[in-house]
Amino acid sequence: MIRPIRAALAAAVLCVCAPAPAGAALPLSLDDAFRRVIETHPDLESYRFTEDARRAEADLARQAPPLRMAVDAENLLGTGGASSFQSAELTLSLASVIERGGKRDARFGVADERLQGVELLREAKRLDLLAEVARRYLDATAATALAALTRDDLAQREQLVAAATARRNAGIEQSSAPLAAEAARLRVAAELERTARAASHARRRLAVLWGGTEADFELAPIDLGALPPLPDYETLVRLLAETPELQQFAHEVRLREARLQLARTARVADIDWQVGVRRLQAGSDWGLVGSVSIPFGSASRAEPSIRAAEAELSAIEFDREGQRRALQATLAEAWGQLDLAIAHARRIETDVLPALQRAAAAAERSYRAGASSHLEWTQLQGEIVIARRERLDAALTAHRALIELQRLTGQTFAVAAGTDNGTTP
């Protein structure tokens, strides 16, 4: 059995458990979503039946060859002296097989390895499911954050409309200015309605994972502005060996070794035996009968199966190395995305946004003083919104990349600022 996978996944980045008002339903945290999926998802539940089937196979493999009872009748219902039962010979016997070469132990070894592999498959599926929960939770949170950003943009547009209307009423602004500002406000209002609907759809898509049909829940508040830390790349490469996808290869090696051992046991021939009693009807006599048979050429007949098992065992190392390189390529891509996203988000936060905000504040003062047109202020406000969206997109890219890194390695990294540790379901 493998070690418990630390499947909190993005809880280190996403999960914040904020207190709810008295009497209100608690918001759904990422850990809550994890637990719901683990408790209800059919892909995980089905492995219980797979495990039962494998355990039954192991019990069957542990059984010894069965005893066989046979009844033979000879020299009856024929012609002449054998036309009746007077010359009949009746034999009652027991027969079985003596397995040699450790066949039963080898057979059980294969079945037991197959049983142990079920848990590995379940853990791999569990990790994939939790990663998908984290992605959908992040998507729902991102839609909510985008709606909040759009509301801020709408508030700025309303200020522009109010300022342009006041200047027009004062006779120092053309009538087209408040009309243009109102058109921009309506466009942002329509975008806010769309993002609100998108947030509802994202929550419903999350609920589908635990069989829900409605998006009648709120998500726990999350600070998407808190960027995740950048883990050490070489440490991640070393952690790849612990991922279930590679641990399955270690199990596959043991399974193929067990199959090779089973194939080798076929070199030693089994012994068929039979023992019984015979009734000689003509003289009313009884006698013991018995037989032993051993097939020839067992070693030569076993060689093809042995060679096939050896070839399959030799190939597994190359398959493992190929999968390891593919996983490392995916890890390198995710780590690169995380690195670039963190750097881009920090540059926007520390350089771009402060500069735009200073320029917008100056443009607002100038416009209210009548020294510039509303277009300059409008354009700068639009640039601020674009920069904030780029900052949000960069943060989301960083979080998604971290989820992928955690899925690959089964690890939970350092906690982002403003979040809690989360728990492992």
Side-chain angles (χ1 to χ4, degrees):
M1 305 291 287
I2 64 173
R3 61 161 180 78
I5 296 177
R6 285 164 289 192
L9 289 171
V13 179
L14 300 177
C15 189
V16 176
C17 299
L26 290 175
L28 182 77
S29 69
L30 182 60
D31 285 341
D32 295 332
F34 281 159
R35 281 188 286 270
R36 290 186 182 187
V37 171
I38 289 174
E39 292 171 359
T40 61
H41 203 281
D43 284 355
L44 296 180
E45 186 66 17
S46 64
Y47 281 103
R48 178 168 63 86
F49 300 100
T50 303
E51 184 177 4
D52 290 343
R54 294 289 184 268
R55 187 172 288 108
E57 291 177 1
D59 293 340
L60 181 62
R62 191 183 288 110
Q63 294 179 0
L67 283 172
R68 300 187 303 274
M69 185 180 71
V71 178
D72 296 328
E74 301 177 11
N75 301 328
L76 72 162
L77 302 179
T79 60
S83 61
S84 63
F85 293 92
Q86 298 299 321
S87 301
E89 297 181 3
L90 303 177
T91 305
L92 177 65
S93 63
L94 290 177
S96 186
V97 176
I98 299 177
E99 289 187 314
R100 304 170 63 214
K103 288 185 178 63
R104 183 165 61 163
D105 290 341
R107 190 168 59 245
F108 174 72
V110 172
D112 187 57
E113 286 298 335
R114 283 169 54 82
L115 174 61
Q116 299 303 320
V118 174
E119 182 63 19
L120 279 171
L121 294 174
R122 185 184 186 280
E123 288 297 337
K125 186 63 180 180
R126 179 174 177 266
L127 189 59
D128 288 341
L129 272 176
L130 293 182
E132 184 61 20
V133 173
R135 294 188 194 99
R136 295 191 189 188
Y137 193 95
L138 178 62
D139 290 342
T141 303
T144 303
L146 183 59
L149 192 154
T150 306
R151 279 193 292 272
D152 291 344
D153 187 17
L154 181 61
Q156 291 294 331
R157 299 293 178 178
E158 290 171 347
Q159 289 185 17
L160 285 170
V161 171
T165 301
R167 283 170 57 87
R168 184 199 59 186
N169 293 338
I172 56 176
E173 182 65 270
Q174 297 179 358
S175 59
S176 61
L179 294 176
E182 176 63 14
R185 187 195 69 80
L186 291 174
R187 180 182 61 80
V188 175
E191 177 66 14
L192 176 59
E193 181 181 356
R194 189 192 70 83
T195 55
R197 288 178 177 270
S200 176
H201 296 330
R203 291 196 303 274
R204 181 176 289 108
R205 184 168 173 264
L206 172 64
V208 167
L209 287 175
W210 58 77
T213 58
E214 299 295 334
D216 53 352
F217 57 88
E218 296 299 326
L219 300 180
I222 290 173
D223 181 16
L224 289 178
L227 294 171
L230 183 67
D232 180 66
Y233 179 74
E234 295 300 327
T235 301
L236 294 180
V237 172
R238 289 193 296 270
L239 289 175
L240 270 183
E242 301 180 17
T243 185
E245 293 180 67
L246 291 183
Q247 287 184 348
Q248 287 180 16
F249 281 96
H251 166 262
E252 186 66 21
V253 168
R254 295 191 298 270
L255 178 59
R256 295 189 184 187
E257 287 175 344
R259 287 174 175 167
L260 174 58
Q261 181 60 30
L262 179 60
R264 286 172 174 168
T265 61
R267 287 173 171 172
V268 182
D270 295 336
I271 300 176
D272 291 325
W273 61 268
Q274 183 176 358
V275 65
V277 293
R278 177 169 293 175
R279 165 73 172 181
L280 304 177
Q281 190 68 16
S284 299
D285 296 326
W286 295 87
L288 291 177
V289 295
S291 66
V292 175
S293 64
I294 302 176
F296 293 141
S298 298
S300 60
R301 287 194 300 271
E303 284 306 315
S305 297
I306 293 174
R307 292 199 306 271
E310 288 175 341
E312 291 177 354
L313 179 59
S314 299
I316 192 65
E317 183 58 33
F318 295 95
D319 294 340
R320 181 188 183 281
E321 179 61 19
Q323 181 67 10
R324 188 193 67 81
R325 294 185 184 185
L327 289 175
Q328 187 170 343
T330 304
L331 185 145
E333 181 179 359
W335 189 87
Q337 290 177 354
L338 179 59
D339 184 31
L340 293 175
I342 290 175
H344 185 51
R346 286 175 177 168
R347 177 56 62 91
I348 292 175
E349 185 176 358
T350 58
D351 296 337
V352 177
L353 272 175
L356 287 174
Q357 288 166 349
R358 289 193 298 269
E364 180 182 2
R365 291 192 298 269
S366 177
Y367 177 68
R368 293 185 183 279
S372 63
S373 71
H374 82 286
L375 293 177
E376 181 179 359
W377 186 16
T378 301
Q379 183 178 5
L380 285 170
Q381 287 294 345
E383 291 293 329
I384 290 176
V385 172
I386 292 174
R388 290 181 66 189
R389 289 193 175 188
E390 286 187 4
R391 170 65 174 76
L392 177 61
D393 289 341
L396 293 175
T397 299
H399 291 315
R400 291 189 180 102
L402 185 59
I403 290 172
E404 182 63 15
L405 291 176
Q406 292 166 332
R407 185 193 70 82
L408 288 170
T409 60
Q411 303 294 313
T412 300
F413 305 117
V415 181
T419 65
D420 66 12
N421 288 317
T423 58
T424 300

